Amino acid sequence: MESTLFPTTVIGSLPRPAWVLDLILDRKAGRISEEEAEPLLDRAIESSIALQEQARLEEITDGEWRRESYVKVFAERVRGFKADLHDSGMPYPAVVAPLEYHRPLVLHELRFLRARTRRRVKITLPAPYIIGRRMWHADHSRKAYPTREGLMEACVPILRREIEALREAGADTVQLDEPWLSTMVDPAFRRREGIDNPSYEMDRCVDLVNQVLDGFRDLATGMHLCHAHFDRQHGSEGPYGLIMPALQKVRVGTISMEYATPVAGGLDSLAQFPEKVRLGLGCIDHCDPRVETVEDVVKRVEEAMRHLDKSRITLHPDCGFAPSAQNPMDLDEAYRKLKAMCRAARVLREKHG
Ligand SMILES: [Zn+2]
């Protein structure tokens, strides 16, 4: 993909049609078995693939339509968690026993996608730090892991085993989702979450990503950061100055960041973006119901080019459109936004190629 100028991709999730959301919730509640749900999801995902091909993306995912959420998928597939124990606004699973890899996490998603498209395929996994933050609970988890850090460390070998399987099955890109790193830029968020030593936390977060991705060859690697969102509202806000020193230490191919949303405070922070990494430029604001024009996107990308060479820029929306299945977003709107982005990429290639 690096040989194409301004390649386009998605961050991961697409809004689920209402019947797919019902299917996921029915499966979770046991009203339908996994075996019954899978063939129906297969048919849904064929349309998610077609949508992305029609938008003319260079690299696609399956829309994450088999998952309830981008992070809970880890708890659904790895043994050691109990569902909905944790209530921080939205119910999360909590770890209650030592983790055990007893079946692949997302390999079935990748295999299905790989067999149905000639495009590059991306698969996403949650990073260890966000798993620890979301799914370690002081009341329920201490017996399994006395500390939150213990759970984070235990995720590393599981994720590495999965990535090895994904690589063998033909994944082109593996992306680790780590919104926590960027939500830390917001002082109100740090206070709310009791983070009093952000540089320690940022270093932990980056070190865990490096441990997971260390040594993988024949595979493009990425890390996605964002301000987190639900129902078009961001969970935090602020420019990226605080986290830029930590990003210098990340050993990944591409760092994907939100830059279209006003909450990211503009593109000036790109002056401190690490030199050896590709920039995944968030150039579509998924929270804004207005569909960007081609000119809007071209302008955003050209602004980024003041800080970075054009050969290092990949285009994608700020975040997945629906990181959780319950996130109420519009699928047609997402399609129109992706189409505008891909058209802008073609204009940029003509102008700057
Ligand atoms: Zn995100």
Side-chain angles (χ1 to χ4, degrees):
M1 185 148 95
E2 282 75 13
S3 59
T4 310
L5 203 52
F6 306 112
T8 55
T9 186
V10 281
I11 288 303
S13 59
L14 288 173
R16 282 91 172 155
W19 73 270
V20 174
L21 172 60
D22 282 352
L23 194 51
I24 289 170
L25 298 180
D26 284 350
R27 183 187 63 184
K28 185 179 178 184
R31 290 187 288 268
I32 180 170
S33 70
E34 258 186 57
E35 293 68 33
E36 289 169 303
E38 282 303 299
L40 294 169
L41 287 167
D42 288 352
R43 284 152 74 183
I45 286 162
E46 282 179 343
S47 79
S48 154
I49 294 169
L51 180 154
Q52 294 172 80
E53 291 187 341
Q54 175 62 20
R56 298 183 61 182
L57 287 149
E58 268 81 39
E59 183 179 75
I60 68 173
T61 64
D62 72 347
E64 300 182 4
W65 283 2
R66 292 184 205 278
R67 310 184 187 185
E68 186 193 340
S69 97
Y70 77 102
V71 62
K72 287 184 195 173
V73 67
F74 190 88
E76 283 165 13
R77 307 287 299 184
V78 174
R79 266 198 199 123
F81 294 91
K82 199 162 172 200
D84 296 348
L85 267 183
H86 216 307
D87 201 348
S88 51
M90 191 183 273
Y92 273 92
V95 69
V96 294
L99 300 190
E100 188 193 336
Y101 184 112
H102 73 115
R103 58 177 175 172
L105 282 71
V106 294
L107 184 62
H108 58 305
E109 296 179 6
L110 184 270
R111 284 207 172 119
F112 185 85
L113 176 62
R114 178 71 292 168
R116 279 159 188 81
T117 186
R118 297 161 80 92
R119 314 263 158 153
R120 285 180 60 93
V121 293
K122 176 194 275 191
I123 190 95
T124 65
L125 284 164
Y129 189 88
I130 183 99
I131 296 171
R133 277 281 161 191
R134 281 286 184 223
M135 300 195 277
W136 186 89
H137 191 288
D139 299 336
H140 304 292
S141 305
R142 281 193 203 281
K143 242 173 92 184
Y145 296 98
T147 64
R148 196 186 288 284
E149 282 78 6
L151 170 60
M152 293 172 182
E153 292 288 343
C155 296
V156 172
I158 290 175
L159 289 167
R160 285 186 62 83
R161 182 168 166 187
E162 185 71 7
I163 293 170
E164 184 55 43
L166 293 166
R167 192 189 60 77
E168 288 209 355
D172 294 300
T173 300
V174 169
Q175 172 187 292
L176 294 182
D177 293 327
E178 188 44 277
W180 264 76
L181 186 55
S182 42
T183 47
M184 264 185 246
V185 301
D186 187 338
F189 181 86
R190 295 201 298 273
R191 266 197 307 279
R192 223 165 37 234
E193 298 292 339
I195 294 175
D196 41 23
N197 188 349
S199 42
Y200 170 80
E201 300 295 334
M202 291 187 284
D203 282 350
R204 287 296 306 126
C205 178
V206 166
D207 180 52
L208 288 158
V209 166
N210 288 342
Q211 284 185 50
V212 172
L213 296 177
D214 185 41
F216 281 107
R217 310 257 176 265
D218 309 320
L219 186 67
T221 57
M223 176 185 185
H224 162 63
L225 316 177
C226 67
H227 293 79
H229 64 101
F230 187 80
D231 198 9
R232 302 185 189 274
Q233 300 294 316
H234 284 93
S236 66
E237 55 182 70
Y240 298 114
L242 180 84
I243 63 168
M244 282 299 181
L247 292 190
Q248 300 287 345
K249 302 172 200 164
V250 188
R251 295 192 295 274
V252 293
T254 300
I255 299 179
S256 289
M257 300 174 78
E258 289 193 306
Y259 273 106
T261 172
V263 308
L267 283 88
D268 287 348
S269 59
L270 282 176
Q272 303 164 64
F273 190 76
E275 281 181 12
K276 290 188 181 148
V277 180
R278 277 187 78 81
L279 169 68
L281 177 70
C283 58
I284 291 288
D285 183 353
H286 57 276
C287 288
D288 183 353
R290 190 186 73 89
V291 175
E292 285 84 352
T293 64
V294 172
E295 293 72 30
D296 291 335
V297 181
V298 167
K299 205 169 139 228
R300 272 175 196 155
V301 177
E302 288 181 336
E303 209 186 322
M305 285 163 62
R306 291 196 285 119
H307 301 284
L308 255 99
D309 189 79
K310 61 189 175 187
S311 63
R312 291 172 56 207
I313 301 176
T314 297
L315 275 52
H316 53 62
D318 272 354
C319 182
F321 287 88
S324 86
Q326 292 90 340
N327 210 325
M329 303 291 273
D330 185 277
L331 185 59
D332 285 340
E333 178 190 305
Y335 166 69
R336 291 193 185 99
K337 283 175 172 271
L338 291 172
K339 191 168 77 168
M341 179 181 81
C342 294
R343 282 190 176 156
R346 293 198 291 280
V347 169
L348 285 159
R349 280 173 211 145
E350 271 179 28
K351 244 176 118 175
H352 302 286

